[in-house]
Amino acid sequence: MNPVDSDLIGSDLPRAAGTSAARAAAAVSAFSAELFTAVAPSSADNLVCSPYSVAVALGMVVQGARGATAAQILDVLHSDDAQALADGLNAIDSVLTADSGSARNSTEIELASGNSLWGQHGVRWEQPFLDALARDFGTGVRVVDYRQTAAARSAINDWVAQQTRRRIPELVPPGALTLDTRLTLVNAIFLKAPWQKPFPREGTRDAPFHLLDGTTVSSQLMDGTVGTRFASGPGWEAVDLPYAGAELAMAVVVPQAGRFAEVERSVSGEWLSALLAGLRPGPVRVRLPRWTSRARFDLAGVLSGMGMPIAFTGDADFAGMAAEETLRISAVLHEGFIAVDEEGTEAAAATAVMMRTLSVAAQPRSVVADRPFLYLIHDLRTHTPLFVGRVLDPTAG
């Protein structure tokens, strides 16, 4: 077959309309806080990630998980029902994608989230798994051949690049796919949104930005009365910056000097909920730097430590995906990008969950011809012997 086949293995079920986003939104909030606090200590640099993207990718994974494997993944995602989680994530996606293309102050918000699965040619995927993908995630399984890993990798990366407007051009690095790879589940999300009230460009000035070690760097600090809601708590204050249409916003939390680590450690699902509920209306003058950042993670160790270790081991049970394959998660790759300026925000993220077979190839038998032996040269098509002989001493003429 070609390295990348155009065939899509899927279900005839139409995508459902998700019925309830509330429980899934609460679950994603709790997961977001836990994932952030888990990855933050691993980096001394700027951090950007999309726990929502990771949650959707794992939400697809759990549709094919069984037993303790499924229970652990659901626990990490703060859910106790794979179908209810899928329905809720589908409802959230419907709300989010409804914003895309809406005219806001003569501009447009672009918000898109997409899913794709890339499965090995010849593997038989279970019908209930395909039904769940179609019904709640709007996708099927694209056929690739992981024996030609470069071509498979290129196909996945091209899809992610297209979904993220090329902000994430190479989610899957060289060497990430192997001959044992059987399935890669991918979610990608992209946002381009103007502020409801842009920062005036004439207000942007060079200004010091105070680093954690006490030194300063020169930054481009934007300045304007653009915030519409304000909140404060122990050691911090926050402002909400709405995007055009006032359906999306960025909450910026600024800890007091010397209290950044304390505030960062306090982040939890409850803390996030309290922050968003505590924002109160009122004009706020905001001074905010322009910034652009990118971050990459392999979340396998992080997610294992958060409570789903079985999925990465030989004890994993993904029989709901492909009964004839014994699968485990081999990697969870995630990349995030964000750029913020006077006009608004552009952000993108993508998550790839890679699954390998646990089937071990039969070890070759060992035959050592270190003693006299016979030989037979024959035609494989007709089974006709052409030469026969023996070797008693290979050094003799």
Side-chain angles (χ1 to χ4, degrees):
M1 63 171 290
N2 292 328
V4 179
D5 196 312
S6 60
D7 289 345
L8 181 71
I9 302 173
S11 167
D12 293 332
L13 291 179
R15 186 163 189 176
T19 58
S20 176
R23 286 183 61 189
V28 171
S29 292
F31 175 69
S32 296
E34 291 183 1
L35 184 64
F36 174 81
T37 56
V39 301
S42 66
S43 174
D45 299 320
N46 294 339
L47 175 63
V48 56
C49 66
S50 172
Y52 172 75
S53 174
V54 180
V56 172
L58 292 178
M60 291 190 287
V61 169
V62 79
Q63 303 307 309
R66 297 292 180 264
T69 305
Q72 287 190 349
I73 298 173
L74 287 171
D75 188 56
V76 166
L77 293 175
H78 294 266
S79 177
D80 56 8
D81 186 309
Q83 175 52 47
L85 176 66
D87 176 82
L89 292 172
N90 191 19
I92 292 172
D93 184 73
S94 297
V95 172
L96 294 179
T97 54
D99 290 334
S100 188
S102 301
R104 312 296 190 196
N105 299 336
S106 301
T107 60
E108 287 189 351
I109 287 178
E110 189 174 2
L111 177 58
S113 177
N115 304 310
S116 64
L117 291 88
W118 307 79
Q120 173 62 38
H121 171 70
V123 172
R124 187 175 69 84
W125 305 102
E126 294 298 297
Q127 192 60 47
F129 179 57
L130 296 175
D131 288 344
L133 295 177
R135 181 182 61 244
D136 297 310
F137 299 95
T139 189
V141 177
R142 291 168 167 82
V143 177
V144 293
D145 188 350
Y146 288 110
R147 293 172 299 181
Q148 301 186 48
T149 54
R153 173 175 165 266
S154 177
I156 296 170
N157 283 338
D158 286 350
W159 183 88
V160 172
Q162 181 180 11
Q163 294 292 311
T164 62
R165 312 308 182 261
R166 306 209 68 80
R167 289 304 188 181
I168 300 179
E170 191 178 50
L171 176 64
V172 182
L177 302 177
T178 72
L179 298 179
D180 292 332
T181 303
R182 292 295 178 269
L183 182 66
T184 303
L185 306 93
V186 185
N187 171 268
I189 183 169
F190 176 81
L191 168 69
K192 186 173 185 179
W195 301 119
Q196 186 179 57
K197 185 177 181 181
F199 288 86
R201 286 194 175 271
E202 61 272 17
T204 301
R205 297 285 187 275
D206 287 335
F209 187 89
H210 302 276
L211 304 180
L212 291 178
D213 64 4
T215 62
T216 62
V217 294
S218 180
S219 68
Q220 288 281 294
L221 209 63
M222 305 181 293
D223 190 345
T225 305
V226 296
T228 61
R229 297 194 299 168
F230 178 85
S232 61
W236 58 269
E237 56 186 9
V239 61
D240 214 28
L241 307 179
Y243 295 106
E247 293 174 346
L248 300 170
M250 174 187 287
V252 178
V253 180
V254 183
Q256 295 172 357
R259 301 187 69 175
F260 180 87
E262 173 192 341
V263 174
E264 187 177 52
R265 284 194 301 268
S266 69
V267 173
S268 66
E270 293 78 10
W271 188 89
L272 289 178
S273 296
L275 164 66
L276 298 180
L279 291 162
R280 295 291 179 261
V284 185
R285 180 183 175 186
V286 180
R287 301 184 74 198
L288 182 72
R290 296 175 182 165
W291 84 93
T292 299
S293 62
R294 181 184 299 276
R296 294 178 60 92
F297 310 92
D298 185 346
L299 297 174
V302 170
L303 292 169
S304 180
M306 288 173 64
M308 48 174 283
I310 294 177
F312 300 93
T313 71
D315 294 325
D317 184 353
F318 290 105
M321 290 184 179
E324 297 173 359
E325 294 278 349
T326 305
L327 302 172
R328 68 172 179 89
I329 299 176
S330 57
V332 181
L333 304 181
H334 183 76
E335 184 171 347
F337 166 86
I338 189 168
V340 176
D341 63 14
E342 290 88 348
E343 301 302 320
T345 300
E346 187 173 4
T351 306
V353 180
M354 297 172 182
M355 311 199 70
R356 292 182 183 173
T357 182
L358 287 167
S359 302
V360 179
Q363 294 297 313
R365 295 179 181 273
S366 178
V367 177
V368 182
D370 60 355
R371 51 191 179 272
F373 59 91
L374 306 176
Y375 64 87
L376 173 69
I377 299 174
H378 62 105
D379 177 68
L380 288 169
R381 297 158 296 181
T382 62
H383 308 293
T384 304
L386 302 179
F387 299 88
V388 295
R390 70 179 183 191
V391 174
L392 302 179
D393 179 359
T395 65

